[in-house]
Amino acid sequence: MKITRFSRIGFIIAATGSAVGLGNIWKFPYITGEYGGGAFVLVYLVTVLLVGFSTMIAEMLMGYLGRMDTVSSFEKLAPAKKHLWKFGGFESLAGLFIMIFYSVVIGWIFNYIITSLTSLPATPKEAENVFNNMLHTDFTTQFFYHTMAFVWITYVLNKGLKSGIEKMNFYLMPALIIILAGMFIYATTLGAFSQAVAFMFTPDWSKITSEAFVTAVGHAFFTLGLGMGTIMTYSASLEEDANLVKNTFWVVFFDTAIAIVAGLMLFTFLYQYGSGPAKGPGLVFISLPSAFYEMGLLGNVFAIFFFIALAFAGLTSSVSLVEPMIKYFIDRFSWSRLKASISMGLFFWFFGIFAILSNIDGAKEYLTWGDKSFFDWVDYVTAAIMLPLGGLIIAIFVGFVIPKSKVESVMKSQLKWAFEPWYFSLRYITPIAMCIVMLSLIGIL
Ligand code: TRP
């Protein structure tokens, strides 16, 4: 069988494309706003360095040693207990579940690209009405753009690792960076830039509740794209002499830098033209459009490019969320790529329809359980349970199940003195952090 591989740089770009997503540009700014800025950002940064970095190396190592789909890699690396450990590989299902709402949100972004071309809402109130009308009453628009996202993502996945995933990332990621850099440079010239810096980097520890703490830890995981086999699947095609530490460094660097740049830029615009740091998921869909309106003509241009950048970020992450399950069906059941791509695509497209309906007046009553709609449940179950569980499994698997000598034979020369601290963090720090996140998000702590 011919193995298609990423090029050396292609791997870093694709893994960065996976990491940089709606999490960085949509979610990070609004949860930073919600939890009061500086202290929250600091907890997030420390978690990325202490837990995220070491777990990403571990997940990359599993792909590098396993060389197969996630289920087979677990089996191959734990031959004695493969019937138990193979279930670790089914974490990849989390990616398909995430896509159920991720694709709907990409649909909203497509819709906003088009509406930014014609008109922006003049006041925050109007912006709120526009968003809420779409969310609660306009099924057709959401369905149309959700379907567009499904078609785009499935088309790229069907083209394969190199001419699909790598190629799309190769064009979209530089475009995304150029757009954000341009808008960021403009933001630095505005008076409110220093306010944004102060908001993001002056820690006010009184604002850190245990909930803020846990959200920061969970987000560090989500934003790096860890815990469900994306990195494991991508790294199954690494060259023999690949340097896992360097790869991880670049992915973590870009992911963090883009989150900070996007946050500083959005907060500057909101201080300068809007009503200051906004909270909640409406930040980029409600507060931002009216701030762009205040900015005048340039704001119109910015709005279009901003939503294009956001769509690019979402699309490059989407393919990484679906690819692990596609590889699973191709490797284990000899499905064609076409069959696997379309089946996985139809899965998230179909359930995505219910995610849309679960916000629509008249239908949502049937799709809400407890205090959460179907849309919110999918988000919650994946982020609160599946991803931390996946991270926990990966850390324990590399820390305790794969023989230390095998781990050492690859990692010692790359990590040098940092090998023991890394190994310690995998065995003890990451599992404890993940347990705390899960327990408190499901309400036990
Ligand atoms: N990291 C992406 C974001 O920030 C989402 C994502 C892509 C992801 N692949 C993942 C999250 C794997 C968890 C696991 O939006």
Side-chain angles (χ1 to χ4, degrees):
M1 190 171 70
K2 191 174 152 294
I3 305 174
T4 47
R5 287 194 164 172
F6 288 125
S7 64
R8 207 175 276 266
I9 184 79
F11 173 81
I12 295 179
I13 296 180
T16 303
S18 156
V20 176
L22 304 182
N24 301 57
I25 308 177
W26 169 58
K27 198 162 180 201
F28 177 66
Y30 88 70
I31 51 180
T32 300
E34 214 154 273
Y35 294 110
F40 178 83
V41 175
L42 213 64
V43 175
Y44 154 81
L45 288 177
V46 170
T47 316
V48 165
L49 287 178
L50 283 186
V51 182
F53 202 90
S54 59
T55 313
M56 183 172 292
I57 295 178
E59 193 175 329
M60 213 178 277
L61 179 66
M62 283 190 68
Y64 175 84
L65 292 173
R67 304 255 148 213
M68 287 187 255
D69 64 277
T70 50
V71 177
S72 310
S73 288
F74 267 100
E75 283 184 348
K76 179 171 163 191
L77 296 173
K81 291 222 172 68
K82 66 179 195 180
H83 297 299
L84 174 69
W85 281 107
K86 79 174 199 190
F87 289 103
F90 289 114
E91 254 303 304
S92 298
L93 281 171
L96 279 188
F97 295 158
I98 292 174
M99 278 308 295
I100 292 171
F101 69 90
Y102 216 82
S103 168
V104 174
V105 177
I106 293 176
W108 298 347
I109 297 165
F110 283 163
N111 181 23
Y112 269 69
I113 296 175
I114 304 297
T115 48
S116 307
L117 285 171
T118 50
S119 66
L120 286 173
T123 62
K125 189 81 211 125
E126 193 186 327
E128 196 175 334
N129 288 339
V130 171
F131 182 71
N132 284 333
N133 273 338
M134 175 194 76
L135 186 68
H136 297 306
T137 63
D138 195 348
F139 174 79
T140 323
T141 300
Q142 292 188 74
F143 175 77
F144 175 76
Y145 287 113
H146 162 60
T147 304
M148 246 177 79
F150 149 74
V151 171
W152 183 324
I153 293 160
T154 307
Y155 174 81
V156 172
L157 283 166
N158 178 47
K159 294 231 158 214
L161 210 60
K162 203 162 173 71
S163 32
I165 297 178
E166 176 169 328
K167 197 163 167 195
M168 174 173 79
N169 275 289
F170 201 76
Y171 289 112
L172 298 197
M173 287 309 288
L176 164 90
I177 290 176
I178 291 169
I179 293 174
L180 288 182
M183 291 174 69
F184 178 71
I185 290 170
Y186 176 76
T188 60
T189 66
L190 297 175
F193 184 70
S194 55
Q195 269 171 290
V197 173
F199 178 71
M200 277 188 72
F201 294 112
T202 317
D204 173 357
W205 293 107
S206 68
K207 293 208 172 116
I208 282 291
T209 55
S210 61
E211 188 188 318
F213 194 86
V214 165
T215 308
V217 177
H219 183 69
F221 242 68
F222 184 87
T223 186
L224 291 173
L226 295 175
M228 54 131 290
T230 285
I231 293 293
M232 206 185 298
T233 301
Y234 277 8
S235 56
S237 74
L238 279 173
E239 322 80 1
E240 290 301 324
D241 61 348
N243 189 318
L244 312 190
V245 180
K246 270 192 195 140
N247 286 345
T248 300
F249 172 81
W250 284 116
V251 178
V252 173
F253 170 79
F254 280 119
D255 186 66
T256 312
I258 289 176
I260 302 275
V261 162
L264 283 174
M265 171 188 99
L266 295 182
F267 289 130
T268 303
F269 293 157
L270 291 176
Y271 273 120
Q272 185 92 19
Y273 298 105
S275 45
K279 307 174 170 119
L283 190 148
V284 307
F285 294 109
I286 298 174
S287 317
L288 197 62
S290 53
F292 279 139
Y293 176 86
E294 285 297 315
M295 217 186 266
L297 183 62
L298 185 64
N300 268 280
V301 178
F302 273 10
I304 296 164
F305 278 106
F306 174 77
F307 285 113
I308 288 178
L310 194 53
F312 286 1
L315 290 165
T316 52
S317 295
S318 298
V319 290
S320 83
L321 286 162
V322 188
E323 175 66 14
M325 283 313 286
I326 291 186
K327 188 170 168 59
Y328 170 73
F329 280 104
I330 293 177
D331 286 4
R332 304 271 295 205
F333 299 92
S334 310
W335 282 17
S336 68
R337 194 163 250 284
L338 182 68
K339 179 172 167 192
S341 311
I342 293 183
S343 320
M344 299 306 112
L346 283 176
F347 177 90
F348 74 74
W349 175 78
F350 179 76
F351 287 103
I353 296 172
F354 291 92
I356 298 174
L357 286 172
S358 76
N359 289 320
I360 296 280
D361 292 336
K364 66 171 178 234
E365 292 71 16
Y366 304 99
L367 291 161
T368 300
W369 298 277
D371 58 348
K372 285 187 180 60
S373 63
F374 175 63
F375 186 108
D376 294 338
W377 271 114
V378 179
D379 182 6
Y380 180 74
V381 169
T382 50
I385 301 168
M386 299 188 79
L387 294 179
L389 186 65
L392 179 67
I393 293 173
I394 289 168
I396 290 181
F397 194 81
V398 176
F400 293 98
V401 179
I402 303 181
K404 187 173 181 187
S405 56
K406 190 163 184 175
V407 175
E408 247 172 352
S409 70
V410 181
M411 295 317 302
K412 189 89 191 202
S413 62
Q414 297 186 18
L415 281 163
K416 306 196 175 72
W417 62 268
F419 179 81
E420 288 299 336
W422 169 72
Y423 204 62
F424 179 84
S425 137
L426 274 190
R427 286 186 143 186
Y428 305 107
I429 301 180
T430 306
I432 293 172
M434 289 302 110
C435 287
I436 294 178
V437 172
M438 273 188 291
L439 291 180
S440 66
L441 283 177
I442 56 182
I444 296 176
L445 270 184

